[in-house]
Amino acid sequence: MNIQIVRPGELGAPERARWRELQKADPSLDNPFLSVEFAVAMDRLRDYVRVAVISDASGIVGFFPYERHSFGIGKPLGGFLTTCHGLISAPDLKLDAKALLRACKLSVFDFDHLVAGQPTFTPYEADVRPAPVMDFTAGFDAWIEQVKANSPKNLKTVRYKERKLGREHGGLRFEWASPDPETLRTLLAWKSDQYRRTGRVDRFAQPWIVELTNMMHAENSSDFAGVLTMLYAGDVPVAGHFGLRTATTLVGWFPAYDTEFGRYSPGIVHHLQMAEAAANNGLHMVDMGKGGKEYKDWLKSGVLYVAEGRISRPTATAAVHWIGRTPFNKARTIVMDRPSLYRAADRVLKGFGRVRSSMQQQESPTQ
């Protein structure tokens, strides 16, 4: 095996075509965060993005995109922004993982959304988690019947709120794949407000993430695109989502809604309409990502699996990194596993968000 380290932007047309060929050949790699377009976009914005190009006598057999941070700390491409990472290769390719790290000049590599079961990384998987999906391979009607079976009460309630929202605010209209930058800005403003309101870090306070989102919104090919959807009541936008898709899979990324319409549960109404639009536009699946909100349990009609784990070489940097990261990772896993703890943590963060918002208002000058 020969391993060459380059920046994704340095890949030529033949290498990018080979990447796409390997990705399409393995259904477990059907995720836009594993696409070469995402890697190239990240490379334009972040100088720590790299890709290992793996070859044998037959030619290129794999690509391993990653981030190389100070002291050789390795992170998945996109880190906390993404819900899937891994090795883009034939399913049976098995490398010496520590030799791969050595070639990448990494001391340690943490992963938490790795495609489960990849032979190179399987020995280092500490845990495997389900990621719920909406599966439309049997058609939208079959999917909605599964949602009804999961929770008939929830579906009935949401449909009632959907009709009520349309009746009281001028009818509903759903837009698929909006090209409008202003619509995207509206959605991101809602999302920033949600982050602050719930005590989370506002990702869009970082200009490069806003720029990445704009770049992804401009992508539109048969194999890779940004998909902006928006639900309108009358002419007023009430809930939306921006995600990425391959030819057949849409990945959930940034859903948000206008809190003025919160009593109608517009986010869930939007998800139902987005599912129908996705199926009608030829997509086979919406990947909702592991963990998080309870609504995923009753919208799902299948699961994918992602792995958490850690690979390290025997270095001082790896030891220090383990001390700093392992307790946090274990605590997060415990919270995500237990719905009662997740809800309690969510309440604490929302309370923190309200307090912070109140303090900011008090500090603001009176107009």
Side-chain angles (χ1 to χ4, degrees):
M1 288 289 177
N2 177 59
I3 300 176
Q4 181 184 10
I5 309 303
V6 299
R7 298 189 64 150
E10 297 171 348
L11 296 172
E15 289 83 9
R16 297 184 189 198
R18 178 58 173 157
W19 185 314
R20 296 186 186 101
E21 180 184 20
L22 288 168
Q23 186 181 15
K24 290 179 180 180
D26 183 353
S28 74
L29 303 179
D30 186 21
N31 186 296
F33 290 127
L34 300 176
S35 297
V36 66
E37 290 86 354
F38 183 73
V40 170
M42 283 291 299
D43 183 33
R44 291 175 186 166
L45 299 173
R46 303 282 87 183
D47 62 7
Y48 45 65
V49 174
R50 300 288 185 273
V51 58
V53 183
I54 306 155
S55 305
D56 64 13
S58 67
I60 296 175
V61 295
F63 297 88
F64 177 60
Y66 65 96
E67 297 178 5
R68 185 181 186 275
H69 294 265
S70 300
F71 306 107
I73 301 299
K75 296 182 180 180
L77 180 67
F80 64 90
L81 283 175
T82 64
T83 59
C84 188
H85 41 260
L87 185 64
I88 295 86
S89 71
D92 59 350
L93 180 66
K94 184 175 183 179
L95 305 174
D96 180 328
K98 293 189 178 182
L100 177 62
L101 260 61
R102 188 180 306 111
C104 296
K105 298 182 180 179
L106 299 178
S107 297
V108 62
F109 182 73
D110 264 338
F111 54 88
D112 59 3
H113 290 81
L114 190 101
V115 177
Q118 294 196 329
T120 298
F121 301 111
T122 298
Y124 302 94
E125 292 178 353
D127 203 1
V128 175
R129 301 276 162 177
V133 301
M134 307 180 200
D135 186 346
F136 312 125
T137 52
F140 174 78
D141 291 341
W143 173 76
I144 203 71
E145 284 301 313
Q146 180 62 57
V147 172
K148 184 177 180 181
N150 292 344
S151 179
K153 181 179 179 181
N154 277 334
L155 182 60
K156 182 178 180 180
T157 299
V158 172
R159 288 304 196 195
Y160 168 77
K161 291 183 177 181
E162 180 181 45
R163 294 191 296 271
K164 184 177 176 66
L165 174 60
R167 185 171 62 250
E168 296 181 354
H169 293 277
L172 298 184
R173 175 172 64 89
F174 186 84
E175 185 176 18
W176 170 265
S178 168
D180 183 18
E182 187 59 38
T183 301
L184 180 61
R185 283 192 286 272
T186 296
L187 177 69
L188 299 191
W190 291 341
K191 196 66 181 178
S192 285
D193 176 68
Q194 178 190 337
Y195 285 139
R196 295 189 295 267
R197 191 175 68 249
T198 57
R200 273 76 170 181
V201 174
D202 180 7
R203 296 177 178 180
F204 298 111
Q206 300 186 53
W208 77 268
I209 295 180
V210 176
E211 188 174 355
L212 174 65
T213 307
N214 288 331
M215 289 169 61
M216 295 293 90
H217 185 219
E219 290 277 353
N220 186 20
S221 71
S222 59
D223 290 331
F224 183 90
V227 180
L228 174 61
T229 56
M230 186 62 72
L231 176 67
Y232 293 85
D235 294 324
V236 179
V238 297
H241 173 264
F242 179 70
L244 304 179
R245 67 152 178 84
T246 62
T248 55
T249 295
L250 173 68
V251 171
W253 206 8
F254 298 122
Y257 62 88
D258 186 342
T259 56
E260 292 295 321
F261 296 87
R263 64 186 179 279
Y264 300 103
S265 300
I268 303 298
V269 172
H270 167 275
H271 264 60
L272 290 177
Q273 297 213 10
M274 181 177 72
E276 184 169 13
N280 289 340
N281 279 274
L283 296 183
H284 298 170
M285 183 182 300
V286 174
D287 181 345
M288 295 183 283
K290 73 170 184 177
K293 302 298 184 180
E294 293 178 3
Y295 73 83
K296 296 179 182 181
D297 283 337
W298 67 274
L299 291 182
K300 74 178 182 183
S301 57
V303 295
L304 301 175
Y305 290 93
V306 292
E308 303 174 5
R310 181 178 186 273
I311 310 166
S312 64
R313 294 165 56 211
T315 66
T317 297
V320 171
H321 182 265
W322 181 87
I323 292 170
R325 289 294 298 170
T326 298
F328 169 78
N329 290 338
K330 286 185 176 179
R332 180 182 60 184
T333 296
I334 291 170
V335 170
M336 297 297 283
D337 265 356
R338 294 165 174 77
S340 60
L341 288 179
Y342 180 87
R343 288 192 295 269
D346 192 52
R347 286 195 299 271
V348 169
L349 285 170
K350 287 178 179 177
F352 175 73
R354 288 192 295 270
V355 170
R356 182 169 60 182
S357 176
S358 176
M359 291 177 66
Q360 289 172 343
Q361 292 174 4
Q362 292 173 11
E363 293 170 358
S364 299
T366 304
Q367 299 295 321

